[in-house]
Amino acid sequence: MNPSQLQLDPLSAQQSLALPGCWLIDVREAHEVARAGFDLPNVIHLPLSELQQRHAELPRNADLILACAAGGRSMQALQFLLHQGHTKVRNLAGGIGAWNSHGLPVRRS
C-alpha cells in the first residue's frame, strides 16, 4: 500500500469515525490525554509505550485510525500493527493538533 493511502486528514477521519466499526486509537501517554482528548465515543486509549504488550486487545475486524499529538508516534504504531497482520489501519495526519485546528471535538480537563 502506498504510504499516502495510510494517511487521513482530520475531516476524512471524522467521516470515517462516524461509521460503525471504526475506532480511533489514541497512542499518546496518559498525561497527554488528560490535558486534551478526542471527544468521541469510539476512542481506545492505548499508549505507544504499551502497544507491543497490548496490541491483541485491538479489534482485528475494525477500521482503526491511529492518532497522537502530531502524527509521528501514531505512524510508528501503524507500522507495528501492519507487521502484526492488521490490514485496516490508517494514520491521522497531524494528530490531535490538526484535529483541533479544524474545530473538531476535543475534551479538555
Side-chain angles (χ1 to χ4, degrees):
M1 185 178 276
N2 180 330
S4 65
Q5 293 174 306
L6 298 175
Q7 299 280 354
L8 277 179
D9 64 84
L11 296 175
S12 297
Q14 182 190 38
Q15 289 174 341
S16 293
L17 288 161
L19 301 172
C22 187
W23 290 88
L24 187 131
I25 311 305
D26 190 341
V27 299
R28 296 176 301 145
E29 297 300 319
H31 68 276
E32 296 175 277
V33 174
R35 282 196 303 267
F38 293 92
D39 194 7
L40 299 165
N42 46 338
V43 175
I44 297 171
H45 177 234
L46 181 54
L48 183 60
S49 62
E50 300 174 20
L51 184 63
Q52 192 169 357
Q53 296 79 27
R54 297 180 50 204
H55 69 88
E57 297 173 23
L58 297 174
R60 283 228 172 239
N61 58 348
D63 289 314
L64 305 178
I65 299 173
L66 293 128
C68 64
R73 286 175 289 170
S74 53
M75 185 53 89
Q76 289 177 357
L78 179 143
Q79 296 293 340
F80 174 78
L81 291 176
L82 285 173
H83 284 100
Q84 300 306 312
H86 284 267
T87 57
K88 299 176 170 184
V89 289
R90 290 172 291 169
N91 187 50
L92 175 60
I96 197 169
W99 180 270
N100 188 41
S101 71
H102 280 80
L104 299 173
V106 173
R107 173 198 40 75
R108 299 196 186 280
S109 54

